[in-house]
Amino acid sequence: MTDASLFNTRRLLLGLTGGVAAYKAAELARFLIQDGVDVQTVMTESACHFVGTATLQALTGKPVFTDLWDTGIASSMAHIDLSRNVDAILVAPASADFIAKLAHGSADDLLSTLCLARDCPLLIAPAMNRQMWENPATQRNIVALERDGVTILGPASGVQACGETGMGRMLEAFELAETICAFFQPKLLQGKRVLVTAGPTYEAIDAVRGITNLSSGKMGYAVARAALEAGAEVTLISGPVCLDAPMTARLVNVVSARDMLAAVKKEISRIDIFVSVAAVADYRAISTNKQKTKKTEHSITLEFISNPDILEYVATLSRPPFCVGFAAETENLERNAEAKRRKKKLPLLAANLAQDTIGSDESTLTLFDNEGKNDLPKAPKIEQARRLIKHIASLYEKQTKKINPDTLT
Ligand SMILES: Cc1cc2nc3c(=O)[nH]c(=O)nc-3n(C[C@H](O)[C@H](O)[C@H](O)COP(=O)(O)O)c2cc1C
């Protein structure tokens, strides 16, 4: 588990109401905890028929509150205390009944009372049978909640627990967790267009063989996610990896370095910030066999040619976007990284040791820019990506002000 105190922990009150999708809330709590969110659970009496308090208590490491009249809280005012100690409330699943209560300001149990007494944002993830969702009463209540500033997440359409198909399924746990984490991040790149390349490239030798490298794509995907969380519009150009792309990124899948360059060329003219995380293969075979080359007793010799340097191509455009490079070195990290940054004339380069980072969920990064270097101590890649995005946003803003002196205050 992440040491949340290191990473500006956000506190969420997770409310569960009486719907079949309550089982998904258990997984949601787990994802949120893994992402470093501090989760306090409150359940309605009906929710307890669908999933046990012991499950949520075990997953969050905290007692679950269910009772408005709980005397365990010193002030005996759980409805006030619980909502004061959090940054947001998420009700997932939100039943039709609970939505109706919220819309009318009803406060007859702990969860509805603390929602009414809150001074933080409220998000709800509706989950119900399609007829309940489409019912004019529910639709009226949803419109009223939106007008009151409540954020409605979903629902999605699909096969329902009752066997019918239609609108009303709660969003999946990973979708809600991603949305909540994004909700908590400052919108440092609002409206910016960011292009991220990630993963390895694969250079075919014959129909079944090729050369590639050990990049997992985890860092690039984390950068794409952190940029989305910061409010950017993100295009992710990815080599072959086994990862799910962030939900709201525009994903372009490629295989070889030349495919990746072609995809970058298509996008680059509209991009504000380019983050080159992909481990592009430096070489490819001069000639490839469309069929599978047959094995022989003899040794074989392959001849390789250099691949295009995608980052160099972008950085030397006549009007380049703000370019960020990545360097994975096995030795002399500082010297090699700074040399690469200067050679490619990059405003920012993030360097890490290949043997520590490749395939891992954590990394230690050093950032090099014109003002010197910044060490980012070991942390989960998503946290490193958020720190990197913060650094990019600050350099980007400075650069923009320099280019456009009218904006100087
Ligand atoms: C088996 C079963 C499944 C239910 N599933 C849902 C559901 O998915 N969504 C919903 O809004 N209500 C559902 N209900 C109805 C609610 O549980 C009921 O309206 C309850 O009063 C909600 O209480 P609460 O809003 O205080 O949690 C279901 C009821 C039963 C018996």
Side-chain angles (χ1 to χ4, degrees), residues 11 24 47 71 115 179 228 260 263 266 309 323 337 371 398:
R11 297 158 307 172
K24 291 187 192 173
T71 49
C115 284
T179 306
L228 286 164
M260 189 173 273
K266 254 194 202 159
D309 187 322
C323 286
E371 287 166 23
K398 278 188 209 162

Side-chain angles (χ1 to χ4, degrees), residues 16-22 43-50 93-99 101 108-109 111-112 126-129 132-133 161 168:
L16 276 68
T17 68
V20 185
M43 293 167 66
T44 64
E45 194 194 332
S46 302
C48 298
H49 288 280
F50 293 90
S95 66
D97 172 64
F98 194 77
I99 289 170
K101 278 166 50 173
D108 64 354
D109 65 5
L111 188 57
S112 56
M128 64 199 71
N129 164 272
M132 291 171 89
W133 173 252

Side-chain angles (χ1 to χ4, degrees), residues 63-266:
V64 173
F65 293 94
T66 56
D67 185 3
L68 185 60
W69 308 105
D70 195 326
T71 49
I73 289 202
S75 69
S76 91
M77 293 217 229
H79 64 289
I80 304 290
D81 292 357
L82 288 171
S83 74
R84 290 297 174 275
N85 293 328
V86 292
D87 299 299
I89 298 173
L90 167 66
V91 180
S95 66
D97 172 64
F98 194 77
I99 289 170
K101 278 166 50 173
L102 280 179
H104 292 90
S106 180
D108 64 354
D109 65 5
L110 178 59
L111 188 57
S112 56
T113 309
L114 69 84
C115 284
L116 196 63
R118 77 185 187 279
D119 63 358
C120 63
L122 172 62
L123 302 91
I124 64 165
M128 64 199 71
N129 164 272
R130 68 182 173 91
Q131 300 286 18
M132 291 171 89
W133 173 252
E134 283 160 16
N135 191 297
T138 304
Q139 289 305 309
R140 266 197 314 275
N141 292 334
I142 289 288
V143 170
L145 289 181
E146 280 176 327
R147 228 180 0 237
D148 291 347
V150 176
T151 303
I152 318 291
L153 307 175
S157 177
V159 180
Q160 305 201 303
C162 54
E164 296 179 7
T165 302
M167 281 295 276
R169 276 176 62 92
M170 188 170 89
L171 294 182
E172 297 304 324
F174 75 91
E175 295 174 304
L176 289 173
E178 215 172 286
T179 306
I180 290 297
C181 290
F183 180 80
F184 284 143
Q185 296 307 315
K187 303 299 168 224
L188 300 171
L189 295 180
Q190 191 68 52
K192 300 285 172 290
R193 283 167 299 205
V194 175
L195 177 61
V196 180
T197 62
T201 63
Y202 174 87
E203 312 298 329
I205 292 171
D206 69 14
V208 295
R209 305 181 184 94
I211 57 166
T212 184
N213 55 59
L214 288 175
S215 171
S216 65
K218 287 179 182 172
M219 191 68 218
Y221 276 54
V223 171
R225 183 175 158 190
L228 286 164
E229 289 178 350
E233 181 198 311
V234 175
T235 303
L236 173 61
I237 299 180
S238 175
V241 296
C242 303
L243 298 172
D244 290 324
M247 274 182 307
T248 46
R250 199 166 73 79
L251 177 67
V252 182
N253 285 309
V254 297
V255 175
S256 70
R258 285 184 296 173
D259 292 347
M260 189 173 273
L261 177 62
V264 166
K265 280 183 174 172
K266 254 194 202 159

